[in-house]
Structure formats: structure tokens, C-alpha cells
Amino acid sequence: MFICSPMMKNPLLSVVRSCKSVQRLLQSPASSPLSALLTKRRIIISRSTSSHVCKDDKIHYITTPIFYVNASPHLGHLYSAVIADCLHRYKLLRGFNSKFATGTDEHGLKIQQAAEAAGKDPLTFCTDVSQSFKHLFSTCNISYTDFIRTTEQRHREAVEHFWSVLWNKGLIYKGSYEGWYSTQDESFLTPSQVGDALDSSGKEIKVSLESGHKVEWMKEENYMFRLSAFQSQLLNWLRGNPAAIQPERFYQTVLQWLQEDLPDLSVSRQRSRLQWGIPVPGYPEQTIYVWLDALVNYLTVAGYPEKHSRWWNAAHHIVGKDILKFHAIYWPSFLLGAELPLPQTIYVHSHWTVGGKKMSKSLGNVVDPLERSQTFTTDGMRYFLLRQGVPDTDCDYTEDKVFKLLNSELADSLGGLLNRCTALALNPAQVYPAFCCQSFSRDEGGRAVAEDYHMLDAVKNLPAVVEEHYESMHVYKALEAISACVRQTNGFVQRHKPWKLDQKDSKDLRWLDTIIHVTLECLRVYAMLLQPVVPEISNKLLTRLGVQPAERSWANMNFLPRYQEKDCPFEGRKLGSDSGVLFNRLESRNVDKQKPKKTKKATKSR
Ligand code: MSP
């Protein structure tokens, strides 16, 4: 018998849980210096958050970070985008109205310098690189609904408005900043975050301990944001919302940061030093800090300042671990200051390294995702990134890993299973054949064995398992679970060897059809679940199985209804006519080198 999975998420339960955490936020004490000023504001914020979570749970807004245009896109950038795309596609399959925003971060000193080095005016330079991100994303089926460039007029207006709100509330004041600054990271650092290093010419320099990028001492008159006033509110928010930053490891990191001193933040630069940015409203001799400018992009896309509520109340951010501080400390503080709801979730991912080092242009170890997609196919690339990428820890990229993974899981295991049950020898009529209840019965006359029933249970429970992992952005765990089931189904076919059955014997024929029916049902579920990860392969597979586009949503999963003596809409249906290979095996000299024994034997026997 199928067992309903205890992991199945109850949407009502999660709504109630979220409402509870909102209530906890409302009850929690405030102890910041500005708490009197902010108490009223906190309640307004909490109410607007609560009204969203409790009422409209079918709206979803997912964002990627916006990408710097100082260099061409690399594999790490594609990774952020693929994670967000996967979640967006999954939400659509669940019947959500989902918005998916990405774009390019085009202001700041390093862009200004990169444009100068390229001999182009900044806007032309930005347009060219922004275009290369768009090209990569369309090639890799990144199905964003919105693409934002921070040089757009709509964004400038949103940033100006946002600044004025903070200013009018007395949260920005004229001050001076003296300390370390990294232009590469566009980040301010405390002395403890800075270390000594040598540059390429052997000169002693100061670097950021976290990123390794060069830092410089900066002393400037500029505008400061009262970040220090938000420390206790941030702590309250996080303590009341333990799922706000995921995975847990990064949630703990942020809590740890919040135990330390939180100085006010410089939010502008002198125009004489930075021209490529949005001027401070009313004070054009200062340029708005590039991170404040960039973070507001999430609101701009949502329709800020007039029509943002619908989307903004359902915002989820995907970010790499290097930009956690900006998203989990600065951004929520700005939002609290502007009396806007906080993001629902910040999903953090780790980095792709090459030879153990973070990819960087200066190290020359950058992997070009466009070029690699031509070798591995775009779905191959997406599958690899999501199957091997673990949010909690860095992953090292090697070509060998890609070849091995794709050949074994997509070509051999999944593709092989499809070949087996659509081969003309076993399925000459090219149909979704009939399921015979007696053949699969546990009573006398049944031919299934205990492992077969275990497999059915595993596949029946699989959607709930996958749902749990997609929801928490542990896509690799979802793919691991699917891959384990594909192996079980291959084991099922192997165990019963349908090619040995006598097709002239009516009992054997019914059993043969049943084996194929069960296998096709398994494949249908795998293809449905894989849609957010490998849209092209899933489409090919579902089309081959004769599953129509309208039959591909999560609600259509309904695995093997015939086993429960219910109708199966696919039984008797003609298979799709494209009998091409699902995923071609990839040939690599390295992989071939690892099979010397086989080659030797073959040579000997000739
Ligand atoms: N412009 C800022 C983000 C502003 S969002 C308001 C930025 N841009 S970035 O181009 O440097 O990085 C964009 C994303 O790519 C980040 O999530 C970052 O973590 C990710 N990656 C950059 N290199 C990476 C790897 N080597 N591996 C995985 N992702 C990495 O930061």
C-alpha cells in the first residue's frame, strides 16, 4: 500500500507558523537607542508582514543578486541565477503567481574604472556587459520575468524616493567616515577585518581578510545612516524568524555578527571621487553608496514607491555567502527605517572554486558558463550545478566530475530507463500499455516481489520529499532522492527481465505490459519533478510519454492510479513520436583514460 508521506507540507500550517513568528516579533522587547522612535514603526511593519502572510500565500517573488558589469559572467553567477530559476519554475508548477527578478548592478567606482580601462563611456560599457548577462541567461533558460539595470530611470526614481524617506525620518545625517574601504567589494571594513599581503609586484598592501581584495584608507565627509539604531530590532527579527536566513549555518553567522559592534554606515561618497552613480537628492556633490543603490533594485522591480506591496510582501532573496552582510544586516535595517516589510527568506549559497580557489579573473581560473554549456548542453550544466552545489559548503569544479555525473545519472540511468520501456522489441505498439492488477497483486497469481512494493512506496512519497527540499533550496537533496528512485526503477526492470517474457503467452504479455506501465509511470513522475532543474530534458521526456503541457503541474502528479484501481488518463495512449536519445553520453579523453582495462581486453580478444 502507498503510505502518505509525513513530510508533505501543509500550506495552512506554514501560514500559521509565519503568523506566529510575526506575533513573536510584535511581543519582543526593543532596546535600541532609537526604540521609542521606532516602536510605532515596528508595529506597522509587523502588521503589514502579517497581513500578507495570513492572506495571500499564492504570490511569490524571487530575486537573484544583480550582477556587477565590470567583467563577463562566470559559472558562479550562473549558479545564483539557476537556483532562483529553479525555485521560480517550481512555484509556477505549484500554481503560484511568481515573479522572478534579475539584472545588472552598474554604478560604482570599479565599474567607472573598468569602463575607463576599456576605453568606453560608462553607459556603453554597462550596456555591452549587461547584454552578455542577458545572452547567457536566455541561452541557459533562465526564465526571469524582470530584468533590471540600475542605470534605468525607474530605478533612479525609486532610489531617490527611498533616500528621501530615510532622510525625512532623521535616519541619515551628515558626518565623516574614516576607515578601510575595498573598491572591489564596495565595502567598509573594521581594522580586525583587514590583513597584510603583497601585491603582484611584491609591494606590501592591506587586504580584506574575507575576500582577499585590496583595501585603502579613506577619509571623507559624507552622509551616514543610523545603522547602530537597528541592532536590537534585527536581533528580534531573526530570533522570531529562525527560517529567515537559510541554511541555518548562515543564520547563526548573522546572529554572531549582531553580537558585535554595529557602527553607523557611510551611505554616500564625494562626487569628486565617484561620478558614476546616483547623486544624493538635494546634495549633488555627493553620490549615493552603491550598495544602497543596488539593494533598492528589489523594490524597484516590485513597483516601488507606489505599487510594490503585492510583490514586496512575498519577497525571497537568493544571495552568495560573500554578500550576506549587505542583505542580512544593511538591507533589513534600511527597510525597517523606511517602514517596509522585511524579506521573507534570504537563501544563501556557497561558492564554486577551481583548484580550491574562488574563481577570479586575476587568478585566471574563471569557468565560462556559455562555453561549457556548449559541451555539456544547458540542461547538463544546470543539472551539474544543482546536483553538486551544496549551499552550506564550497564546491570545487572539475570537468571530470561533470562528465561522470551527467553520463551516469542523465545518460545511463534516466536515459537508459526510457530506452528500456520504449524499445520496439518490448513496446511494438508504442503505447502506454495497460496495468494488470492481478499481475501486481500480493495474492496468489501476482508476480511482483517485496522490493517492487518498496519501490512503489518510494516513488509515491518522492514528490513530498522533493517538495521539502525544493522549498528549503536543498536542490541537491531533491536530485539525490530522484536519482535513487531512478536506480530503484532500473532495478525493478532488471529484476523482472521483461525481454525474457513470452509475448505469445497472454499471462506473460499482461505482466510485460504491467512492467512497462509501472516504469512509464515512474518516469512520468521523475520528469515532472525534474522540470524546474532540466526543463528541456523534462519536456522531451514528457512529450515522449505523451503527457500534454496541461498535464504537467504538481497537481497532476498522481502516481500509478491503476494500482489503487482508479483510472489512469495515459493508459492506452500513443507515445510521442520523438524516439531520439534523451541525453547523449559525453565523451571525454579523461573519462576514457579511466577505462583502460576494458580497452585492453577488447584489443586482446580481437
Ligand atoms: N552586485 C553585487 C550584488 C548586489 S545585489 C543587491 C554582487 N555582484 S557579483 O556579480 O559580484 O555577484 C553576484 C552573485 O554571484 C553573488 O551571489 C555572488 O555570491 C555570486 N558569485 C560570484 N562568484 C561566485 C562563485 N565563485 N561561486 C558561486 N557564486 C558566486 O555581489
Side-chain angles (χ1 to χ4, degrees):
M1 280 288 282
F2 292 145
I3 303 160
C4 278
S5 164
M7 293 215 221
M8 180 80 81
K9 257 209 177 140
N10 179 342
L12 205 63
L13 208 72
S14 66
V15 167
V16 172
R17 245 194 353 231
S18 307
C19 292
K20 274 193 182 151
S21 45
V22 167
Q23 282 156 13
R24 269 203 298 275
L25 183 64
L26 272 167
Q27 287 156 7
S28 55
S31 55
S32 75
L34 274 192
S35 60
L37 171 76
L38 296 170
T39 303
K40 191 170 142 242
R41 186 170 309 154
R42 192 171 53 250
I43 292 169
I44 298 165
I45 294 156
S46 305
R47 278 199 192 125
S48 61
T49 310
S50 108
S51 69
H52 140 65
V53 179
C54 299
K55 272 186 204 155
D56 197 353
D57 62 344
K58 278 282 177 187
I59 295 277
H60 196 264
Y61 173 33
I62 182 86
T63 68
T64 70
I66 47 170
F67 301 93
Y68 284 132
V69 289
N70 59 315
S72 306
H74 64 58
L75 194 77
H77 300 137
L78 180 63
Y79 183 50
S80 286
V82 165
I83 297 175
D85 186 54
C86 176
L87 189 59
H88 170 65
R89 287 175 185 268
Y90 164 72
K91 287 290 170 185
L92 290 176
L93 289 173
R94 300 304 309 258
F96 277 72
N97 191 356
S98 179
K99 192 177 192 63
F100 169 19
T102 190
T104 42
D105 190 353
E106 305 189 3
H107 288 137
L109 200 55
K110 70 172 169 184
I111 314 288
Q112 189 177 306
Q113 288 167 350
E116 266 165 33
K120 291 185 183 175
D121 78 275
L123 190 58
T124 311
F125 176 77
C126 291
T127 304
D128 291 348
V129 185
S130 183
Q131 201 54 42
S132 66
F133 275 96
K134 276 191 172 169
H135 177 58
L136 171 69
F137 292 163
S138 69
T139 308
C140 294
N141 286 319
I142 304 297
S143 55
Y144 59 81
T145 57
D146 295 76
F147 192 98
I148 172 113
R149 297 181 56 189
T150 52
T151 47
E152 286 174 53
Q153 183 59 21
R154 60 168 174 156
H155 178 66
R156 185 178 175 135
E157 283 163 17
V159 173
E160 286 172 347
H161 188 92
F162 192 79
W163 176 281
S164 307
V165 171
L166 298 181
W167 175 259
N168 290 336
K169 288 178 192 301
L171 294 168
I172 294 176
Y173 62 95
K174 203 159 192 175
S176 73
Y177 175 79
E178 185 165 0
W180 295 108
Y181 188 76
S182 157
T183 303
Q184 271 305 309
D185 304 330
E186 300 283 13
S187 176
F188 302 96
L189 295 110
T190 60
S192 65
Q193 294 170 317
V194 171
D196 295 312
L198 298 176
D199 72 6
S200 52
S201 63
K203 204 174 112 207
E204 276 187 13
I205 52 163
K206 297 280 182 195
V207 293
S208 156
L209 290 174
E210 198 196 325
S211 67
H213 290 139
K214 188 175 167 198
V215 298
E216 273 154 330
W217 189 257
M218 178 185 131
K219 190 173 175 197
E220 243 182 59
E221 287 277 298
N222 47 34
Y223 288 99
M224 305 292 289
F225 174 73
R226 294 188 196 280
L227 187 64
S228 53
F230 293 93
Q231 192 157 5
S232 63
Q233 281 194 81
L234 291 177
L235 275 167
N236 289 339
W237 165 56
L238 289 178
R239 288 190 180 131
N241 294 276
I245 299 173
Q246 295 182 36
E248 153 90 16
R249 182 191 149 189
F250 295 109
Y251 170 78
Q252 295 300 343
T253 306
V254 178
L255 280 183
Q256 190 56 43
W257 286 338
L258 286 171
Q259 305 303 323
E260 291 157 22
D261 212 26
L262 194 64
D264 286 352
L265 178 71
S266 165
V267 283
S268 72
R269 300 293 310 270
Q270 278 174 10
R271 193 99 192 139
S272 56
R273 292 177 198 249
L274 172 64
Q275 295 90 50
W276 187 236
I278 302 174
V280 168
Y283 301 91
E285 71 282 3
Q286 294 271 328
T287 303
I288 294 177
Y289 175 39
V290 62
W291 267 102
L292 194 156
D293 168 347
L295 287 161
V296 172
N297 94 83
Y298 302 133
L299 282 172
T300 309
V301 170
Y304 185 79
E306 262 120 39
K307 343 179 260 296
H308 53 280
S309 304
R310 179 165 185 245
W311 295 110
W312 186 247
N313 287 331
H316 302 257
H317 301 312
I318 303 282
V319 302
K321 65 177 186 180
D322 54 323
I323 53 173
L324 181 57
K325 176 181 70 183
F326 305 96
H327 284 84
I329 294 189
Y330 297 178
W331 183 224
S333 304
F334 295 154
L335 289 168
L336 286 167
E339 297 185 6
L340 286 163
L342 303 185
Q344 303 292 308
T345 326
I346 300 171
Y347 293 107
V348 189
H349 66 75
S350 296
H351 288 151
W352 284 95
T353 56
V354 176
K357 297 208 169 71
K358 194 184 167 194
M359 259 175 258
S360 89
K361 215 174 146 187
S362 51
L363 286 176
N365 63 352
V366 167
V367 178
D368 177 353
L370 209 54
E371 192 227 326
R372 294 294 78 207
S373 301
Q374 277 160 13
T375 308
F376 302 129
T377 74
T378 54
D379 269 4
M381 205 69 248
R382 290 172 65 108
Y383 188 82
F384 174 77
L385 289 174
L386 294 172
R387 174 78 169 91
Q388 289 282 305
V390 178
D392 296 75
T393 49
D394 288 354
C395 292
D396 207 46
Y397 175 88
T398 70
E399 302 270 294
D400 213 36
K401 274 191 207 166
V402 190
F403 278 106
K404 282 186 182 149
L405 180 84
L406 300 185
N407 279 343
S408 100
E409 294 193 356
L410 293 184
D412 298 347
S413 204
L414 190 67
L417 191 59
L418 177 68
N419 286 347
R420 284 175 141 179
C421 55
T422 53
L424 277 174
L426 293 187
N427 190 348
Q430 292 289 285
V431 290
Y432 219 96
F435 176 86
C436 165
C437 288
Q438 287 94 325
S439 302
F440 226 90
S441 157
R442 288 176 191 257
D443 304 332
E444 218 180 305
R447 298 169 79 158
V449 296
E451 286 115 305
D452 302 338
Y453 299 114
H454 290 155
M455 180 196 74
L456 293 196
D457 278 346
V459 182
K460 177 75 182 170
N461 290 337
L462 187 63
V465 172
V466 168
E467 176 187 335
E468 178 83 9
H469 296 319
Y470 279 168
E471 293 278 354
S472 64
M473 281 293 93
H474 282 106
V475 183
Y476 77 100
K477 287 191 185 170
L479 296 178
E480 209 167 70
I482 296 171
S483 178
C485 280
V486 176
R487 277 199 302 277
Q488 274 185 278
T489 311
N490 269 311
F492 163 72
V493 177
Q494 193 60 35
R495 197 158 45 244
H496 296 296
K497 300 190 174 32
W499 51 90
K500 288 203 169 160
L501 293 170
D502 178 2
Q503 295 189 26
K504 290 189 198 91
D505 176 272
S506 64
K507 272 194 187 156
D508 263 16
L509 189 59
R510 278 204 299 275
W511 177 226
L512 169 65
D513 283 352
T514 303
I515 294 170
I516 294 180
H517 181 101
V518 170
T519 309
L520 289 174
E521 274 294 276
C522 290
L523 273 170
R524 184 176 64 82
V525 167
Y526 305 149
M528 303 262 278
L529 297 174
L530 283 170
Q531 290 177 94
V533 177
V534 282
E536 285 181 10
I537 291 177
S538 300
N539 176 40
K540 197 167 178 183
L541 183 45
L542 289 167
T543 307
R544 177 72 171 127
L545 301 185
V547 181
Q548 299 304 306
E551 297 168 324
R552 297 177 184 184
S553 84
W554 217 260
N556 294 104
M557 206 73 67
N558 191 24
F559 173 58
L560 200 60
R562 292 287 290 107
Y563 185 54
Q564 291 160 325
E565 298 188 6
K566 294 191 182 132
D567 285 346
C568 169
F570 309 103
E571 197 173 66
R573 237 188 235 185
K574 203 89 185 119
L575 293 181
S577 56
D578 180 2
S579 57
V581 177
L582 187 65
F583 187 84
N584 281 305
R585 269 195 130 255
L586 300 158
E587 295 305 331
S588 134
R589 264 185 243 138
N590 286 347
V591 169
D592 290 341
K593 261 189 223 156
Q594 279 149 19
K595 300 179 192 163
K597 278 184 192 159
K598 236 184 170 178
T599 326
K600 263 189 188 169
K601 261 191 182 171
T603 326
K604 261 188 182 174
S605 62
R606 245 182 251 144

